[in-house]
C-alpha cells in the first residue's frame, strides 16, 4: 500500500506506544509509523507530545484520558491485546474515538501459558529449577524427594469461561483433568460443568483465572475468597493482577492453605510483590501470556486491519466502547 487509504488524502500517522515487533504492520506500510525502539516504550510525556499528530494509536499499555483528549485527529485506538482496562474507554467515547481489542488472537498462547504454569507448580518445576542452581546435588536427587502431583484426575476450576478459559479447558481435558467453571455470563462448553462461585472455590484443585478486570472482579480473590479455596489447591493467574489481593495470597501460601501459585500478572506492573518473590512454591513470569513470535505477529496484523478500516471510513472489528 502506497500513499493513503483515500485517494489524494495525506499520509496517516500511526502512533505505537511500545517497541513491539513491527513486521505485522505491513498493511500500513504506506503510512508514517511512529514507534519506539525494540523493548522500549514512549513515556506518558512523550505520548502527550506525539498524540496530537496521530490519526491512530496502537495502545499496548496505559493510555489515560488526559492524553487521549489531546489526540484531536484520532480515528481509532487499537488495543494491542484482549484486555483494554489500561485505556480510558470512557474518555475515548466522549471524544468519539472507537477503541478496539483483539479477543481472538491471544487465545492459544495465553491458554498454553496457563497450562504451563499449572504443570510448573504441580510438578514443582520452578522450585526445583531454583534448587538445582543453589544446592549440592546430593541434596536434590533421591527417591521420594521433590514429589509433586499429577494433573490427571485433578479438578480444574475456571473463573471466567470466555475464549481463553474454554481453550484452557480443552487442553486440560486432554491431560485428564475434570473441568468446572463459573462465569457471570454463563458457561457454554460441553467439557466444562457450570457451578456457582462458592462451589468453584471449594472444589477446585487448580483455580485458573480468565475473567476481565472490572469493578466487580477487582480484588475478587480477597482474604475471604482465598480462605474458601480447597486446602492444598493452587492458583493460576494469567488474566489481570488486580483480580487478586496479593497480600492475602501471600498469607494463604505462607500458612500452607494454598500449595502454590503460578502468576503472570501483578497489580502494579512491572513491580512484583516481594512476599511472592520470596516463596519458592510460586512460579513467576513477567506478563508473557501473549509473548510468542507467532501471536505477536498476528496481534500487529489485527491492529493494522482495524486501523486500515477506520482510516478508510469503515467500522473496524471488535469496537469495545460503542462508537459507530
Amino acid at each position: 500500500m502506497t500513499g493513503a487509504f483515500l485517494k489524494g488524502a495525506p499520509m496517516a500517522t500511526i502512533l505505537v506506544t511500545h517497541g513491539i515487533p513491527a513486521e505485522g504492520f505491513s498493511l500500513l506500510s504506506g503510512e508514517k509509523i511512529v514507534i519506539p525502539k525494540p523493548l522500549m516504550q514512549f513515556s506518558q510525556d512523550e505520548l502527550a507530545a506525539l498524540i496530537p499528530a496521530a490519526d491512530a494509536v496502537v495502545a499496548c499499555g496505559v493510555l489515560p484520558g488526559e492524553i487521549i483528549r489531546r489526540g484531536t485527529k484520532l480515528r481509532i485506538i487499537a488495543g494491542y491485546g484482549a484486555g483494554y482496562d489500561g485505556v480510558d474507554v470512557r474518555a475515548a467515547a466522549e471524544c468519539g474515538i472507537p477503541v478496539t481489542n483483539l479477543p481472538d488472537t491471544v487465545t492459544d498462547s495465553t491458554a498454553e501459558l496457563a497450562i504451563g504454569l499449572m504443570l510448573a507448580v504441580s510438578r514443582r518445576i520452578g522450585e526445583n529449577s531454583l534448587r538445582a542452581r543453589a544446592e549440592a546435588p546430593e541434596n536434590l536427587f533421591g527417591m521420594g524427594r521433590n514429589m509433586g502431583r499429577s494433573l490427571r484426575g485433578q479438578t480444574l476450576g475456571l473463573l471466567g469461561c470466555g475464549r481463553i478459559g474454554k481453550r484452557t479447558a480443552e487442553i486440560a481435558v486432554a491431560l485428564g483433568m475434570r473441568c468446572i467453571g463459573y462465569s457471570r455470563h454463563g458457561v457454554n462448553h460441553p467439557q466444562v460443568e457450570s457451578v456457582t462461585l462458592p462451589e468453584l472455590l471449594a472444589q477446585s484443585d487448580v483455580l485458573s483465572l480468565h475473567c476481565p478486570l472490572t469493578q466487580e472482579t477487582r480484588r475478587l480473590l480477597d482474604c475471604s475468597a482465598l480462605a474458601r479455596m480447597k486446602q492444598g489447591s493452587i492458583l493460576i493467574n494469567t488474566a489481570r493482577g488486580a483480580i487478586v489481593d496479593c497480600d492475602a495470597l501471600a498469607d494463604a501460601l505462607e500458612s500452607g492453605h494454598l500449595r502454590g501459585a503460578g502468576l503472570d500478572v501483578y497489580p502494579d506492573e512491572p513491580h512484583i510483590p516481594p512476599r511472592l518473590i520470596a516463596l519458592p512454591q510460586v512460579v513467576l513470569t513477567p506478563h508473557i501470556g501473549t509473548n510468542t513470535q507467532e501471536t505477536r505477529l498476528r496481534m500487529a496484523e489485527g491492529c493494522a486491519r482495524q486501523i486500515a478500516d477506520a482510516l478508510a471510513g469503515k467500522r473496524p472489528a471488535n469496537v469495545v466502547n460503542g462508537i459507530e
Side-chain angles (χ1 to χ4, degrees):
M1 183 174 299
T2 58
F5 289 90
L6 298 178
K7 186 175 181 180
M11 180 182 295
T13 297
I14 316 301
L15 175 60
V16 185
T17 64
H18 289 58
I20 58 179
E23 295 86 352
F25 294 120
S26 60
L27 181 61
L28 304 171
S29 60
E31 311 306 319
K32 179 181 180 181
I33 298 180
V34 180
I35 185 171
K37 294 178 180 179
L39 306 181
M40 302 296 289
Q41 66 184 68
F42 288 127
S43 68
Q44 294 292 295
D45 288 341
E46 288 171 328
L47 289 175
L50 291 167
I51 205 168
D55 297 280
V57 172
V58 177
C60 310
V62 175
L63 195 65
E66 57 265 26
I67 292 180
I68 292 172
R69 294 184 186 95
R70 295 173 64 91
T72 55
K73 294 175 56 182
L74 284 179
R75 305 279 294 278
I76 183 176
I77 297 171
Y80 187 71
Y84 49 90
D85 48 279
V87 178
D88 190 335
V89 293
R90 179 176 297 180
E94 291 171 352
C95 296
I97 304 167
V99 178
T100 60
N101 75 332
L102 299 169
D104 298 307
T105 57
V106 303
T107 299
D108 286 339
S109 57
T110 307
E112 288 172 356
L113 181 65
I115 294 293
L117 289 172
M118 292 177 207
L119 287 164
V121 177
S122 295
R123 294 301 306 273
R124 301 174 64 183
I125 295 171
E127 180 181 348
N128 282 297
S129 179
L130 293 173
R131 292 185 60 205
R133 288 166 168 79
E135 299 184 22
E138 55 269 23
N139 293 335
L140 296 172
F141 292 85
M143 192 69 66
R145 290 182 175 178
N146 311 311
M147 193 171 293
R149 294 192 65 186
S150 297
L151 291 182
R152 177 172 292 277
Q154 301 292 306
T155 296
L156 170 62
L158 300 162
L159 181 51
C161 291
R163 293 172 177 86
I164 298 171
K166 290 175 181 176
R167 181 59 182 145
T168 302
E170 291 167 359
I171 303 172
V173 168
L175 294 174
M177 301 186 80
R178 168 198 176 218
C179 293
I180 60 176
Y182 168 77
S183 172
R184 62 190 180 94
H185 298 297
V187 174
N188 183 23
H189 196 281
Q191 295 173 309
V192 182
E193 176 189 347
S194 180
V195 296
T196 66
L197 181 57
E199 290 172 335
L200 186 81
L201 297 174
Q203 295 180 29
S204 299
D205 297 298
V206 180
L207 178 62
S208 190
L209 308 187
H210 300 286
C211 54
L213 178 62
T214 65
Q215 287 302 112
E216 290 74 25
T217 63
R218 185 176 296 275
R219 295 170 70 92
L220 177 63
L221 270 281
D222 58 9
C223 180
S224 175
L226 292 168
R228 295 198 299 273
M229 286 181 64
K230 189 174 182 179
Q231 174 70 36
S233 60
I234 67 175
L235 176 69
I236 304 296
N237 189 5
T238 56
R240 284 292 184 265
I243 297 170
V244 180
D245 181 330
C246 285
D247 280 330
L249 175 59
D251 288 341
L253 290 161
E254 289 169 353
S255 71
H257 176 63
L258 296 186
R259 184 163 52 91
L263 308 174
D264 186 49
V265 288
Y266 313 92
D268 186 27
E269 294 179 9
H271 305 290
I272 301 175
R275 290 179 66 190
L276 297 175
I277 293 175
L279 295 171
Q281 70 270 42
V282 179
V283 177
L284 305 166
T285 52
H287 204 147
I288 60 169
T290 61
N291 199 25
T292 70
Q293 294 177 1
E294 298 82 1
T295 298
R296 293 298 195 194
L297 176 63
R298 291 196 299 271
M299 290 168 68
E301 290 172 343
C303 287
R305 284 192 295 271
Q306 292 170 336
I307 290 170
D309 284 343
L311 295 178
K314 301 176 182 178
R315 179 177 171 82
N318 301 315
V319 175
V320 299
N321 63 340
I323 300 297
E324 297 295 333

